[in-house]
Amino acid sequence: MTVKRKTLKPWGGRFAQATDPGVEAYTASIQFDRRLYKYDIAGSVAHARMLAKCGLLTKAEADKIVAGLEEIGGEIERGEFRFDPSLEDIHMAIEARLIEKVGEAGAKLHTGRSRNDQVALDLRLYLRDEIGEVRRLAVGLEQALIAQAEAHLDLIMPGYTHMQRAQPVLLAHHLMAYVEMLERDRARLHDALRRVDVLPLGSGALAGVGLPIDRRFVAKELRFRALSANSLDAVSDRDFVIEPLFAFALLMTHLSRLAEEIVLWASAEFGFIELPDAFATGSSMMPQKKNPDVAELARGKTGRTFGALVALLTIVKGLPLSYNRDLQEDKEPLFDSADSVKATLLVMASLVSRLTFCGDRMRQAAEDGFLNATDLADYLVRKGMPFRQTHEMVGLLVRRALARRCRLEELSLDELQAASPLFERDVFAYITLEACIKRRTAIGGTATGAVKKAIKAAKVKLRSR
Ligand code: ARG
């Protein structure tokens, strides 16, 4: 039966009017989902091979389809593909071009498939790659942090709580804290990947497929770990997007903290680091300025990744089963978040590896501020005094030193002994910065040996990734 069609759309049979241009523009996703083309083609190739294996296509038809799809991939890559805005998404654009190229065989490709399971497949394939890429880039930043930690094992800086100088730590220990965070981020992504790596194709529009298809075959072709177990769920949930988005947002939170410290440390008030000129920007008005814009943008871009996560949670929360067009709104936030994370990891790795640390300024800051007060209290604990009493007594000594504008180690032995006869001459060696660092040997502490072990362990993990 031939009918005169009012529209090029695949659903033209049912429709007597062409789509309103405003509606076409409003509903189209081709502007952003075209970047899924590689995955859409890979999915279609696997689907076509499966249809041939199951006798739903002839071998010759499948070969024609596969060759046509590969040509289309080349056209898109070379920028020769004409994206027609009336074909609303990448799935329809590629299918229409295939039919144009190979005719009737092309018109059989969509057998036993819906765009609903197709788009879920494309997104899962995209995410598999993207998660791998983010994990690789995170390794790059970890390596930069580790290299700086190893190169500066002797630098002592103030450790802070409440943004107040608290106790001395090694710069290396401080940098390795970020390596720990990034390792957890990588583990989270790896875990999320297990749930991304599930084949949704074969779910049809929502109810499954009534033709004799072979889902296991497709899973093998596309190297999926498992098959989705419920067709309604497979076409309509996006938790496999939300989990990586959460992992991206948390990773960015960690990068944002690092960025914040770089901004602070580059200020004259801290002066702990010197930014490489190539990674700073000047002011159009103030000639003296050197601004840490890269770190600021890393901090700023974190907001978009939170936005993406909240957007997806919100899109999904009110949806009845199964597929609803709302789900088309999943792509832009996902792409934006993944792009932001990748770009930030890349630039932060270069920035970190090119930071110059100002050891003298760090040391100076660690020496001013009574960072050895806890150790002075511990000294008396070792001599049997209850910690609460030593805390009180050292508090009084800090007050005295403040009044005299001197450091704790500049109080005389007589003054110390007036506070407690337990003080002896060896107290001065006990409270040097080096001594404070050196005795924090418990696992996870800032003693040089403990930090070296942490570095070694981190390197082993990175090698076995
Ligand atoms: N462009 C759509 C999306 O991104 C593809 C699926 C459309 N399915 C449909 N039945 N309208 O979700």
Side-chain angles (χ1 to χ4, degrees), residues 122-310:
D122 290 7
L123 272 186
R124 285 175 183 272
L125 288 170
Y126 160 83
L127 264 169
R128 255 182 6 186
D129 276 3
E130 251 1 52
I131 288 174
E133 190 57 19
V134 170
R135 292 184 79 241
R136 267 189 295 284
L137 288 165
V139 169
L141 177 55
E142 286 182 60
Q143 283 167 337
L145 288 160
I146 291 172
Q148 288 285 25
E150 278 189 305
H152 297 97
L153 269 167
D154 54 335
L155 291 196
I156 297 177
M157 62 175 280
Y160 295 80
T161 64
H162 311 271
M163 207 56 225
Q164 306 288 320
R165 291 177 198 167
Q167 290 180 340
V169 294
L170 291 183
L171 167 66
H173 193 50
H174 193 109
L175 295 175
M176 289 304 291
Y178 287 103
V179 172
E180 290 297 317
M181 295 176 222
L182 288 166
E183 268 306 294
R184 291 194 297 276
D185 290 323
R186 291 200 324 114
R188 244 184 300 279
L189 283 166
H190 185 70
D191 186 56
L193 190 56
R194 280 179 47 75
R195 284 174 292 279
V196 169
D197 196 12
V198 173
L199 174 79
L201 201 70
S203 301
L206 75 162
V209 174
L211 297 166
I213 59 167
D214 183 349
R215 296 191 65 204
R216 279 184 221 288
F217 177 87
V218 179
K220 240 194 212 132
E221 286 281 297
L222 296 171
R223 289 177 292 101
F224 275 102
R225 182 183 69 77
L227 304 181
S228 59
N230 181 299
S231 59
L232 296 163
D233 176 44
V235 297
S236 73
D237 207 339
R238 288 294 180 268
D239 56 0
F240 73 91
V241 176
I242 293 171
E243 273 192 76
L245 279 179
F246 169 68
F248 292 164
L250 187 48
L251 196 165
M252 284 296 285
T253 303
H254 292 147
L255 298 188
S256 185
R257 297 185 76 182
L258 175 60
E260 164 68 5
E261 297 208 300
I262 289 173
V263 171
L264 282 177
W265 292 4
S267 68
E269 283 71 11
F270 276 82
F272 286 2
I273 52 176
E274 182 69 41
L275 293 174
D277 281 0
F279 282 77
T281 44
S283 156
S284 57
M285 184 178 196
M286 301 165 282
Q288 85 285 10
K289 290 294 293 283
K290 183 168 166 187
N291 296 329
D293 295 35
V294 170
E296 292 170 87
L297 278 167
R299 199 174 54 186
K301 282 180 190 293
T302 304
R304 327 163 63 112
T305 65
F306 293 6
L309 173 61
V310 173

Side-chain angles (χ1 to χ4, degrees), residues 29 33 88-89 91 115-116 119 238 323 325 327-328 331:
S29 56
D33 68 14
E88 62 184 37
D89 57 28
H91 326 296
R115 278 184 300 151
N116 298 351
V119 72
R238 288 294 180 268
Y323 179 86
R325 190 62 177 271
L327 290 171
Q328 181 167 290
K331 284 167 215 63

